[in-house]
Amino acid sequence: MQTSTYAVNKSGFGLHKHRLFRETHSLVSTRSSDLRMTKKNNCLGISLGSASMGARGTVQSFFGSTAKPRSVRAQASEGDIEDVAPAKIQVKSSASVLPYVGVACLGAILFGYHLGVVNGALEYLAKDLGIAENTVLQGWVVSTLLAGATVGSFTGGSMADKFGRTKTFQLDAIPLAVGAFLCATSQSIETMIIGRLLAGFGIGISSAIVPLYISEISPTEIRGTLGSVNQLFICIGILAALVAGLPLAGNPLWWRTMFGISVVPSVLLALGMAFSPESPRWLYQQGKISEAELSIKRLFGKERVAEVMSDLDAAGKGSSEPEAGWFDLFSSRYWKVVSVGAALFLFQQLAGINAVVYYSTSVFRSAGITSDVAASALVGAANVFGTTIASSLMDKKGRKSLLLTSFAGMAASMLLLSLTFTWKALAPYSGTLAVLGTVLYVLSFSLGAGPVPALLLPEIFASRIRAKAVALSLGMHWISNFVIGLYFLSVVTKFGISTVYLGFASVCLLAVMYIAGNVVETKGRSLEEIERALSASV
């Protein structure tokens, strides 16, 4: 991060103003906290005992304890750091932020839509393009999107650092729109594959910058809720793709319209970002102090400009480092936190979410549900419902607790599914239990394993590595997604679905143990506070 020039503006007056603000703000916060705490411990909506986790610092800083301004820190058992969230005068600023979060979530909708659109359209486009008998080429239509997304997820971080968050969104709209147009108008399989590759590249970039941008423009007190909206809109995008496929039975050429529809939100994303404020944190890193102040004013209101700039100034003091390079992510300084981010996405995929979705139709058919649309809609509805619940709990229960609950529920659901296919005593109820286990699994996933990793990563990564580290972690997501999609059916054929589900349950239990030992809570603290909490020992 670059050294701050804000404090030396106007012949040192800025520094005096910031010191005066911090001293006055600290006194008011302390007095207000004392009065309110006599009435109710959590009247500010901030949990006592939320732990912080950041990215700046050595491996040891994950478990070190340092006193920081405006926060109280206590050493917990087993070395974890428990942070009492600082008492702050919170100004309601969510209303001014919501439109820009909504624009960013167009990228999340496109993410889900392009993932789901091929499920219903594949059979019809295969006949139209003359590949109905060629399952290999059909597989390429599906998997090319994932390959493009893998490349895009790595590229998105560098673009966000170089061009800024909003410009990257606008650039991302190009492959999203062009890819959708090529798919909708394709007359050959080659054109279709190129279109899917471009669309995949676009959603890969979106997967990296949507959670990054939302985390950087959201007020601390509702950052968890707004961050989880990303996953909710991905689910909505998938459902939209399923709904868009309903006319296919009566109109086989409708698949072209399905692909063409996605051009509209791509254009709206580019237009919306032209009027959206840039991330104040990125502007500050670029030394664009006055622009950062204007951005803060638009996002949070003029009454919070001094407060947020003070946080940015404090986080940047003593650091004149440039943006981190890719190799810096693997240094001893950052590898611990980067490995946590990559591991969360690896567990997310190896826990079997995509495999469950792939196999859900067969599972539901065993219960007498013969409609593919009904089966898919039930899974999608469970995902949306669970993600909605998670959004309301993210800033109340915290990220870590939701992750632990989610993976534990997924393990139990997978165990139930595995036993359903093996225990003869359960044979009379196998259909009902299979549906119940699948729905419970999807619900458990959507409560934590789905939305939390994309939210937690921008919070725990230091500002100088944030964009690239998020991109690297999401690259792990796409690679593992691609591998599972490629080999899942082969593994099921060789070992049987019951054994595979038991393996997924084991992965979920490993995830619970890993999260318990390596992930700490971040709710209730600003990104700068999280970063400073671990930077002191560097």
Side-chain angles (χ1 to χ4, degrees), residues 135-198:
T135 56
V136 174
L137 286 178
Q138 291 182 39
W140 274 103
V141 172
V142 175
S143 60
T144 300
L145 182 85
L146 301 178
T150 302
V151 177
S153 65
F154 285 109
T155 307
S158 298
M159 291 176 64
D161 280 340
K162 183 174 182 179
F163 302 112
R165 294 14 173 178
T166 55
K167 287 289 191 299
T168 301
F169 272 113
Q170 291 177 292
L171 292 172
D172 184 36
I174 297 173
L176 286 169
V178 173
F181 178 78
L182 288 178
C183 289
T185 59
S186 61
Q187 300 298 322
S188 66
I189 187 60
E190 291 81 7
T191 304
M192 170 60 69
I193 288 176
I194 293 173
R196 290 285 285 173
L197 186 66
L198 285 173

Side-chain angles (χ1 to χ4, degrees), residues 203-228:
I203 68 170
I205 295 175
S206 293
S207 69
I209 61 174
V210 172
L212 177 67
Y213 180 71
I214 292 176
S215 73
E216 291 187 340
I217 69 168
S218 297
T220 300
E221 61 271 20
I222 57 169
R223 190 177 63 239
T225 299
L226 294 182
S228 60

Side-chain angles (χ1 to χ4, degrees), residues 100-130:
Y100 310 122
V101 172
V103 173
C105 282
L106 287 172
I109 291 176
L110 287 164
F111 183 149
Y113 190 87
H114 280 293
L115 283 178
V117 70
V118 76
N119 291 339
L122 184 60
E123 177 185 352
Y124 299 90
L125 73 85
K127 291 179 181 178
D128 201 13
L129 299 180

